[in-house]
Amino acid sequence: MTANALTQSSTRARRRWRLTLQRREAIACALFIAPAVFGFLAFSALPLLASAYLSMTDYSLAGVPNFVGLANYQSLFSDRFFWQAVRVTLTYAIVIVPAWIVSSLALALIMNQNLRGMAAFRTVYYLPAVLSGVGVVMLWIWIFNYRSGLLNIGLGFLGIQGPNWLRDRNWALFSIMLMSLWSVGWYLPIWLSGLQGIPTELYEAAEVDGAGTWARLWHITLPMLSPIMLYNLVINILFATQLFTEPLMMTGGGPDLATLSYVLYMYNNAFSYLKVGHASAMSWLLFLVSLVVTALIFKLSPLWVHFEAERRGER
Amino acid sequence: MSATALPHGRAPLLDRKRRAWIKAAVTYIVLSVGALLFLTPLFWQITTSLKTSADTMKYPPVWIPSPPQFQNYAELFERFPIALYTLNSVFVTTMVIIGTVLSSSLAAYGFARLRMPGRDVIFLILLSTLLLPGVVLIIPQFVLFQRLQWINTYNPLIVPSFFGSAFSIFLLRQFFLTIPRELEDAARIDGAGFLRIYAQIVMPLAWPAIIAVALYTFLGAWNNFLGPLIYLSDSEKYTLPVALRYLQGSMRTRPEQHLLMAAATLSMIPCVVTFFLAQRWFMQGQVFTGVKG
């Protein structure tokens, strides 16, 4: 009896000791993640909610915001500049996202060979990707120069008279796309690591079955890479919808609004026209649309993404 | 004896050798042409920065300026406070790197190692901000920082980085999860607290991931354009990207391409140097976050 009570009390003591240990760990965890949680609340969650509110006001960066209901959304939907901005960003995204994915994957497939010097090529293709920013934009403004730019000089050697890239409304957005392709190397390491993760047995088995190069690409490589494809697709769409620096610096949205991207028009609304309500409505719409698009992509992904490939591909 | 009578596989073997050789040749040609296309813009930029103003407009073009006009760079420093802008950029970038590495690694350690009810839900919510287009937050953040009287200071650029970045937390957490627990358990038996384990065991082991986070943060902060553009109004506070934009704008009437290219080159040098010093970690970092896990 006494022995029993003794063990009981000792287990209770041990349990309490474990509890306090657990509690100490939980408190430590809360403290460790506290700054990040605060940052999330203060710099993401709160601003997101605030922009929903601001989008229903006539705030102009000065004075008090007055509630105006959905008036900003209404006037946006009847604003032809808004629709032009939607069109520009959509066109850009629809062209550049597949272009990035296909060209980076093609490069990775070419480089994924046991040949000498591949590391050097990887360096060369990757380098422009780390040089994003205003300096690169300045360089490309110069490259696109009508009379003395590199591009028209090059075309001149081929006997072609190039257009006035950035000043021609038919070519301006295309010029920005062309420039965006320069940073395609950014996605190389992900593809290459994915390619190296594909078990060679799969290819050997396919070869025994007499599968040719294309069959192997279509039935082994692409399915095995599909989780990476999904990741790249989501990230690239996110990237493309945020087109801003290039049109701001290269064309100012012109000529004839041909490069007025969504974010550029949003920026103009907020900081040039001081229509913060309009701009907030635009950012809230962008948020909703990207939420829907991302959700849709993930929802549809089981149709073409082989998630088991990821697990099998891991070491 | 006809070819078909040869033992099976011998002809294909020869054939395969030849095909491999052709494949290699095509690979090298395609990659070399591509590499040339990728490098020519940089070559063009650097040579332009070393030309005289007159030479930049010549046709056919001057490919190699002789003699190279290194004084273009001196002229740039004389006419514009480039040194000041560079210092501003260095200051902001350094602070952002320190803030991001510190706050993100703390949070990542918590998420990877310390148990707390609801921890994984919080992690997922934090992670979801990665799918949020950052520009959506620009305007409300501006209003927030305006209320805090932070306009025309570096605070909006620096302070948020001390409160973690979802991408860095994710990258570091993934790496922390790969570190064997036994080391930490041993330290705990010896009575070490969580902060000590984090600082003396986990962080020293996680340096490849920390370097990757520092590199990405460096690139992002050094090239950050939108932030300084909307928050900084005094020109002596400008960081390089905004300064370059005004340089470009101020030369609209009479563009001095050689000076503009010199400025662009200067702004890229830190990125190029860092890239060549740390290429391995750049590429590895992407792989850490890429898809694994």
Side-chain angles (χ1 to χ4, degrees):
Chain A
M1 194 70 195
T2 38
N4 202 1
L6 208 74
T7 43
Q8 248 181 14
S9 80
S10 90
T11 39
R12 202 177 299 138
R14 211 181 295 143
R15 194 176 298 143
R16 194 180 302 141
W17 169 238
R18 258 187 58 202
L19 262 177
T20 50
L21 248 188
Q22 265 176 11
R23 194 171 293 165
R24 269 181 54 195
E25 190 172 330
I27 291 170
C29 181
L31 289 175
F32 271 91
I33 66 174
V37 171
F38 175 80
F40 165 76
L41 293 174
F43 304 122
S44 297
L46 179 79
L48 201 61
L49 291 176
S51 81
Y53 168 68
L54 285 171
S55 75
M56 288 183 265
T57 69
D58 63 355
Y59 192 50
S60 63
L61 288 182
V64 192
N66 294 308
F67 190 77
V68 296
L70 295 176
N72 288 322
Y73 291 91
Q74 270 167 356
S75 77
L76 269 186
F77 288 140
S78 57
D79 173 1
R80 76 182 179 89
F81 295 111
F82 169 76
W83 289 111
Q84 172 63 14
V86 170
R87 200 173 313 135
V88 167
T89 293
L90 215 57
T91 314
Y92 177 77
I94 287 173
V95 175
I96 203 68
V97 170
W100 271 332
I101 290 182
V102 171
S103 54
S104 61
L105 177 58
L107 268 177
L109 286 171
I110 296 174
M111 275 185 210
N112 188 38
Q113 294 185 52
N114 218 349
L115 292 174
R116 223 177 250 265
M118 286 301 130
F121 281 120
R122 210 169 51 203
T123 304
V124 168
Y125 287 100
Y126 194 83
L127 177 64
V130 301
L131 302 176
S132 60
V134 172
V136 171
V137 177
M138 290 169 75
L139 165 61
W140 283 85
I141 292 175
W142 174 224
I143 288 175
F144 287 129
N145 186 291
Y146 181 53
R147 273 189 43 236
S148 320
L150 179 65
L151 192 54
N152 279 355
I153 290 173
L155 289 174
F157 285 138
L158 303 173
I160 302 167
Q161 170 58 56
N164 194 349
W165 298 96
L166 296 173
R167 303 265 169 88
D168 184 328
R169 70 170 191 211
N170 296 318
W171 289 99
L173 189 59
F174 176 79
S175 310
I176 293 177
M177 292 169 181
L178 202 64
M179 170 191 163
S180 305
L181 270 186
W182 200 39
S183 58
V184 73
W186 185 253
Y187 306 100
L188 274 180
I190 304 179
W191 287 125
L192 285 170
S193 83
L195 283 168
Q196 270 140 35
I198 303 177
T200 43
E201 304 98 74
L202 288 180
Y203 290 113
E204 284 156 11
E207 212 162 340
V208 169
D209 291 345
T213 313
W214 292 109
R216 270 177 283 164
L217 178 69
W218 193 251
H219 295 292
I220 299 176
T221 312
L222 290 183
M224 291 300 285
L225 289 179
S226 57
I228 305 185
M229 185 81 84
L230 175 68
Y231 169 85
N232 274 351
L233 186 68
V234 172
I235 295 292
N236 282 337
I237 291 176
L238 213 61
F239 237 74
T241 50
Q242 306 197 50
L243 176 69
F244 170 73
T245 307
E246 293 83 352
L248 177 80
M249 282 199 59
M250 298 172 99
T251 58
D256 288 341
L257 310 177
T259 57
L260 182 71
S261 75
Y262 192 90
V263 177
L264 179 57
Y265 189 50
M266 190 176 95
Y267 168 87
N268 284 342
N269 261 305
F271 300 108
S272 305
Y273 320 144
L274 301 181
K275 291 200 239 169
V276 176
H278 271 85
S280 300
M282 283 190 77
S283 40
W284 193 248
L285 282 173
L286 179 62
F287 169 63
L288 287 182
V289 169
S290 58
L291 203 68
V292 170
V293 170
T294 314
L296 215 65
I297 291 174
F298 279 115
K299 197 101 193 157
L300 293 176
S301 63
L303 294 178
W304 59 277
V305 178
H306 298 248
F307 287 107
E308 78 278 13
E310 191 182 12
R311 253 160 277 140
R312 274 179 67 184
E314 265 178 16
R315 273 154 289 165
Chain B
M1 204 156 79
S2 69
T4 43
L6 273 171
H8 200 71
R10 223 163 127 194
L13 191 71
L14 269 177
D15 201 39
R16 196 182 290 177
K17 242 184 178 170
R18 213 163 102 207
R19 275 181 62 182
W21 192 88
I22 292 172
K23 202 174 154 201
V26 171
T27 302
Y28 281 124
I29 291 169
V30 170
L31 287 180
S32 304
V33 170
L36 203 66
L37 283 175
F38 266 62
L39 286 180
T40 314
L42 284 179
F43 172 80
W44 177 250
Q45 173 186 337
I46 293 164
T47 53
T48 303
S49 79
L50 297 173
K51 287 178 190 173
T52 61
S53 182
D55 274 357
T56 59
M57 300 296 180
K58 269 191 191 141
Y59 189 89
V62 182
W63 291 112
I64 311 276
S66 72
Q69 309 290 310
F70 289 107
Q71 65 270 28
N72 289 348
Y73 287 84
E75 192 187 338
L76 194 68
F77 276 90
E78 273 160 31
R79 280 176 48 192
F80 306 96
I82 294 287
L84 177 69
Y85 301 142
T86 311
L87 274 180
N88 292 343
S89 270
V90 168
F91 170 71
V92 172
T93 306
T94 311
M95 295 303 284
V96 171
I97 293 175
I98 293 173
T100 306
V101 168
L102 200 66
S103 60
S104 302
S105 61
L106 280 170
Y109 178 66
F111 283 124
R113 280 293 196 265
L114 303 176
R115 270 154 306 196
M116 183 183 79
R119 179 195 72 178
D120 293 337
V121 177
I122 297 175
F123 179 66
L124 277 180
I125 294 174
L126 273 189
L127 210 57
S128 69
T129 56
L130 281 180
L131 298 175
L132 180 78
V135 289
V136 162
L137 300 173
I138 287 296
I139 290 154
Q141 278 181 351
F142 185 87
V143 175
L144 171 71
F145 295 140
Q146 194 193 32
R147 289 283 154 93
L148 293 172
Q149 314 261 317
W150 282 4
I151 304 303
N152 202 21
T153 71
Y154 293 131
N155 286 348
L157 307 176
I158 294 172
V159 173
S161 69
F162 278 83
F163 294 93
S165 99
F167 171 78
S168 311
I169 293 172
F170 178 60
L171 195 154
L172 288 166
R173 173 185 175 268
Q174 297 306 92
F175 195 88
F176 289 169
L177 287 175
T178 66
I179 299 175
R181 251 175 200 279
E182 288 79 39
L183 287 167
E184 292 159 63
D185 290 342
R188 278 188 71 184
I189 289 163
D190 291 346
F194 295 116
L195 204 59
R196 237 184 95 194
I197 294 174
Y198 154 83
Q200 295 185 350
I201 296 177
V202 175
M203 287 298 269
L205 285 173
W207 59 270
I210 289 165
I211 289 179
V213 164
L215 287 173
Y216 293 130
T217 310
F218 161 73
L219 277 190
W222 185 261
N223 291 325
N224 184 6
F225 172 60
L226 187 53
L229 178 71
I230 61 179
Y231 291 119
L232 303 177
S233 39
D234 287 351
S235 68
E236 66 263 29
K237 288 188 178 141
Y238 282 171
T239 56
L240 268 178
V242 214
L244 290 187
R245 190 217 172 194
Y246 281 92
L247 206 63
Q248 178 103 30
S250 68
M251 290 183 182
R252 198 142 274 173
T253 42
R254 198 175 71 85
E256 297 172 280
Q257 288 300 344
H258 56 305
L259 292 187
L260 289 178
M261 287 306 105
T265 307
L266 276 177
S267 78
M268 291 179 189
I269 287 175
C271 300
V272 176
V273 170
T274 318
F275 172 66
F276 278 108
L277 288 179
Q279 214 193 123
R280 238 181 71 209
W281 289 289
F282 262 109
M283 301 194 181
Q284 239 174 34
Q286 266 178 324
V287 175
F288 291 150
T289 52
V291 252
K292 299 273 165 81

